[in-house]
Amino acid sequence: MPKEPPAVRSPPLWDPVRDRRAGRLSELDPPAAPPPAAPAARLSAWAVGKAALWSVGNAATSQGLSLLAFLITARIISPAAFGLVAIATLIVEVSKRLVVEPLAIRLMSLPDPSEDEYNEFFSSIVLLSGLGSAAIFLLAYPIAWILREPPLAPVVELIAVVLFGTGLWRSHEIWYSKRFEYHALAVRSSIASAFGGATGIGMALAGFGVWSLVAQQLVSTAVTVVLLVFLSPWRPRLRFHLGHTRRHLGSARHLALINVLNFVGYEADVFFITYYLGSTAAGIYSAAKRLMLAANLIIVSSTGSVILALFSRGSENPAAYQRLLNSLLVVGLVFFPVFVGLSLLGTDVIALLLNKKWLASGAILSILALSTLGQGMASLVTNYLIAARADRQFTAVVLGGAVATVCVLPLLAHVSARGVAFGVAAITWSSLVALCIAAAAREGRSVLAMLKALALPAAGAGAMTAAYLLLPFHAAPLLRLLLLPPLLLAVFAVTVTLLGYPEMKRLVSIARRRGRDAPDG
């Protein structure tokens, strides 16, 4: 019987040097993974990390440019004008949460959308955003009548265009995101913010008042459309099909519900203040909220992401629930001194950044800083519940917060904007406790462990507050902001070190181990 020719092996099935390095000890073991796979994995990890940095940088840069424009225009334009634009933006935002974001999230969740799917979602989003803009335009005067703010109507009519512009570029933003091209998004977003801010500042200096704020949003939206849509290599086709739109809306209706509930929980305060206290009070309140939005995005999003990556990476980590407890403690040690410090020095911050007509925002900023702290801590527990597919518990907490907001804030709005801020803070921290209870119940454990994780940073924050009250320091805002923060941070650091030295030592050990185990590149 003739022998069969030897099989061609390239590379050979058994290479002792190569395979023993890969952990394959004999020919009977499964073949080692091909060498090209490792560089691809490292490249993927690098691409994801680079995209995350660009994403955080994009948010920080855009927010910084918008904040700079706000600080300049706020010295020129009245709080009432800011209040009118705030409520008009609120109306557009709730419409965006209803008709744009559910479809956008649905498209983003698709693992590898086809060209037809991109075209379908693009067409549906454009159609719904156009209809939403038209509806807002037609309802502008009825809305102004309901809120008893006649000057609001023409502002709403123009701001309505922003919704349609968002519908035009939202699919392109997802197209870039799916390809990890966050650098392109960052550059375009920064350019749009710069053009919009420059327009607003120039028109404010020229005496256009509220219209400078409207023009700022319109120009920013228009520049975004030009950069993301008309200069994009992707050219979608409009394919309006009522059946497709209805199908997409049906699949995303639960996302629309969650979006609206979240929006009610976090944004209804401005609506109630406008209705009961007027546009001037809404402007004062919105200024404090605007500053806390920037702090939340820059501090919570960027710092929190780095800390979470450090304490939750790797398959050798403890159980997910223990990682959550570690993250609560570590993030609390960062967020508590920052936001409690902002709360104690809120009036000084407003006095330094703005002028005397905005001083009433200082007390509101002090309260909203505590609310933002609660939101930052709650985001950790929320991410845990979502990853654990505990959607029902998470939705129940969000629904409870929205119901409490609608029931409580109108009562407090009769009193003052400060009362509304207190209500928002109370609801936020109540929601945090409810989320902690839900997370602990899912694991069959007591909520005391989660509260204990928050106890150490809370004790440090309490020591900061006591030091601030016992050591009154009367000086100019700039001098107070230069001298008091280092002193308060020192009090916090000494307190948490004395009270929680074993925990601090354990966390430092975990951080060092994660650093040593981090993959190269």
Side-chain angles (χ1 to χ4, degrees):
M1 180 179 296
K3 295 183 178 180
E4 296 180 1
V8 178
R9 297 177 180 182
S10 180
L13 292 178
W14 169 244
D15 184 328
V17 176
R18 180 198 68 198
D19 291 332
R20 283 197 176 98
R21 287 177 179 174
R24 187 184 180 208
L25 302 181
S26 74
E27 292 183 81
L28 300 179
D29 290 333
R42 289 196 295 269
L43 180 61
S44 176
W46 165 248
V48 172
K50 185 178 179 181
L53 289 176
W54 273 109
S55 181
V56 172
N58 173 28
T61 303
S62 300
Q63 199 63 224
L65 291 171
S66 299
L67 180 61
L68 178 62
F70 164 73
L71 294 177
I72 296 175
T73 54
R75 292 178 172 270
I76 306 169
I77 301 172
S78 68
F82 276 92
L84 292 175
V85 174
I87 193 64
T89 304
L90 188 71
I91 295 168
V92 170
E93 186 64 26
V94 72
S95 303
K96 175 185 171 185
R97 299 288 184 100
L98 273 172
V99 301
V100 173
E101 286 308 306
L103 296 181
I105 295 173
R106 177 71 179 132
L107 175 59
M108 190 67 184
S109 67
L110 297 178
D112 187 19
S114 65
E115 187 67 20
D116 288 339
E117 287 174 323
Y118 270 119
N119 289 331
E120 287 180 12
F121 275 95
F122 171 77
S123 303
S124 297
I125 291 174
V126 169
L127 174 63
L128 293 175
S129 62
L131 294 175
S133 294
I136 294 174
F137 180 88
L138 295 175
L139 294 173
Y141 280 90
I143 292 172
W145 177 78
I146 292 173
L147 295 176
R148 295 172 290 188
E149 290 287 347
L152 178 63
V155 175
V156 171
E157 287 180 333
L158 288 177
I159 292 291
V161 179
V162 172
L163 178 61
F164 180 63
T166 303
L168 287 175
W169 59 255
R170 190 67 177 94
S171 299
H172 289 74
E173 183 181 47
I174 296 172
W175 186 86
Y176 278 105
S177 300
K178 299 287 280 187
R179 285 157 177 76
F180 290 97
E181 296 184 21
Y182 286 95
H183 61 285
L185 292 176
V187 172
R188 286 159 170 79
S189 179
S190 299
I191 293 175
S193 297
F195 270 90
T199 301
I201 293 171
M203 292 184 64
L205 291 172
F208 283 92
V210 66
W211 304 114
S212 60
L213 302 177
V214 174
Q216 178 180 345
Q217 295 208 28
L218 295 179
V219 169
S220 179
T221 301
V223 172
T224 303
V225 169
V226 170
L227 295 178
L228 278 184
V229 179
F230 294 104
L231 299 183
S232 170
W234 176 47
R235 292 289 186 268
R237 297 180 180 180
L238 287 173
R239 294 182 177 178
F240 295 116
H241 193 286
L242 187 58
H244 292 164
T245 302
R246 187 181 302 153
R247 174 167 52 86
H248 295 324
L249 282 176
S251 64
R253 61 181 182 274
H254 66 287
L255 295 174
L257 175 61
I258 293 295
N259 275 333
V260 172
L261 290 177
N262 271 321
F263 186 79
V264 170
Y266 291 117
E267 302 293 344
D269 46 0
V270 176
F271 174 83
F272 290 125
I273 290 174
T274 303
Y275 183 80
Y276 289 104
L277 301 176
S279 58
T280 299
I284 294 291
Y285 186 91
S286 297
K289 194 167 184 176
R290 178 68 185 78
L291 293 174
M292 290 317 306
L293 174 64
N296 179 70
L297 184 61
I298 295 173
I299 299 173
V300 174
S301 298
S302 58
T303 308
S305 299
V306 173
I307 293 174
L308 279 177
L310 184 63
F311 280 86
S312 62
R313 185 178 59 220
S315 59
E316 75 283 357
N317 282 357
Y321 187 74
Q322 184 59 47
R323 293 201 304 269
L324 173 62
L325 296 179
N326 289 340
S327 298
L328 281 174
L329 175 56
V330 177
V331 173
L333 291 173
V334 176
F335 288 178
F336 268 79
V338 171
F339 288 104
V340 171
L342 277 173
S343 177
L344 297 174
L345 300 172
T347 301
D348 297 296
V349 172
I350 292 295
L352 180 66
L353 296 180
L354 302 175
N355 50 27
K356 293 182 179 180
K357 64 185 178 183
W358 295 96
L359 284 180
S361 296
I364 297 172
L365 179 67
S366 296
I367 303 167
L368 292 182
L370 300 179
S371 175
T372 305
L373 171 60
Q375 292 175 16
M377 303 308 298
S379 66
L380 302 180
V381 190
T382 296
N383 290 336
Y384 168 80
L385 290 174
I386 292 176
R389 301 185 182 277
D391 297 336
R392 182 175 301 177
Q393 295 91 324
F394 169 63
T395 303
V397 175
V398 173
L399 178 61
V403 171
T405 297
V406 173
C407 294
V408 174
L409 294 194
L411 302 177
L412 297 175
H414 280 289
V415 182
S416 65
R418 189 185 302 183
V420 172
F422 272 118
V424 170
I427 293 172
T428 300
W429 281 90
S430 298
S431 298
L432 172 59
V433 173
L435 288 169
C436 290
I437 293 174
R442 183 188 176 278
E443 297 293 329
R445 304 190 187 187
S446 170
V447 74
L448 294 179
M450 301 189 75
L451 298 181
K452 182 181 177 182
L454 298 174
L456 182 60
M464 284 176 57
T465 305
Y468 177 83
L469 296 176
L470 293 175
L471 298 173
F473 178 61
H474 302 288
L478 177 59
L479 187 60
R480 284 170 56 85
L481 291 174
L482 287 175
L483 298 180
L484 285 178
L487 174 62
L488 296 178
L489 287 175
V491 171
F492 180 89
V494 170
T495 302
V496 298
T497 301
L498 292 176
L499 296 180
Y501 179 76
E503 280 296 300
M504 301 289 289
K505 186 177 180 180
R506 182 179 68 87
L507 293 175
V508 170
S509 175
I510 294 175
R512 288 177 176 174
R513 187 165 64 251
R514 297 291 175 267
R516 288 195 302 267
D517 295 342
D520 297 333

